[in-house]
Structure formats: C-alpha cells, structure tokens
Amino acid sequence: MTTRVVIADDQALVRTGFRMILTARGIEVVGEAADGAEAVDAVRRLRPDVVLMDIRMPTMDGLEATRRILATPTDCRILILTTFDVDRYVYAALAAGASGFLLKDVTPEHLTAAVTLVATGDALLSP
C-alpha cells in the first residue's frame, strides 16, 4: 500500500523538491498547500496518511493548522519540517500533536524514511 502525502509549505520550490523526492521513491503526493488554511482544507478533502507541514507560513502557521487537523478524529499524521532549529518549535509542534519534527536540511533518504516511519504510527525527532 502506498503512503499518501500532502505537502504544506509556502515556498513553491520547496514543495516541488519534496514532491520529486517522494514520488521518485514510490510515495504518492496527493496534494499541496501554500499555507496552513489550505493544508487544513486539503487534509479534509484528500485524507492523506501524512502531512509534511512547514511551521512558518502566511495566513495560518503550521502549528495552528496541525491543531485544527488533529482536533477532529483522523488517521492522518503530521511531520513538521522547518529551517529553524529552535527548541520552542519542537515543543510547540509536539504539544500540537505532531508525530515528528525534522529540519529541512535532511537528506532525501532521511525524508523518505521519516515519512514512512510516521505513516506506520511511530514518532520521530530530528537529532
């Protein structure tokens, strides 16, 4: 069974890069979102297994989007990705219900492994 993913990031180039990495490794990207509000809508419509969620986005940030997605019963797991190595973001992401936290400088192999791991129900934190 293929893991279904929504990518939420305000930078189109980042979304495209993540899409290319994941699809090349057999992970299905079913949607993209440029802000948190779009991410919430995409999850409700597309029912992905995993959301790659940026923290800092316009309109609604990734933390609030994570809270809203997980406020209703869902099997969706949230993997937070950010360029900011800030402890308060890690704590806030976990408090919001995220299943994992990674920095965007991970290798393509690590990103793919993280999506697969989180999809199975495990948790993951960037070293």
Side-chain angles (χ1 to χ4, degrees), residues 73-85:
T74 181
D75 291 329
C76 181
R77 311 282 290 188
I78 310 286
L79 180 57
I80 299 287
L81 285 159
T82 186
T83 56
F84 304 98
D85 187 10

Side-chain angles (χ1 to χ4, degrees), residues 34-49:
D35 62 48
E38 288 180 14
V40 172
D41 180 59
V43 168
R44 289 184 179 143
R45 285 183 298 105
L46 303 170
R47 301 186 183 273
D49 301 305

Side-chain angles (χ1 to χ4, degrees), residues 4-66:
R4 297 167 35 88
V5 174
V6 165
I7 301 168
D9 195 292
D10 59 325
Q11 297 179 10
L13 187 58
V14 170
R15 292 193 311 270
T16 300
F18 287 160
R19 176 184 285 275
M20 291 172 61
I21 290 166
L22 297 174
T23 58
R25 288 162 176 80
I27 295 173
E28 182 182 5
V29 176
V30 296
E32 296 182 12
D35 62 48
E38 288 180 14
V40 172
D41 180 59
V43 168
R44 289 184 179 143
R45 285 183 298 105
L46 303 170
R47 301 186 183 273
D49 301 305
V50 176
V51 178
L52 293 182
M53 183 80 74
D54 187 19
I55 285 184
R56 295 177 74 179
M57 294 184 287
T59 309
M60 179 189 302
D61 69 22
L63 296 173
E64 180 60 25
T66 297

Side-chain angles (χ1 to χ4, degrees), residues 95-119:
S99 298
F101 186 94
L102 285 176
L103 295 177
K104 287 183 182 177
D105 65 354
V106 298
T107 65
E109 295 78 19
H110 193 187
L111 176 64
T112 305
V115 169
T116 303
L117 182 73
V118 168

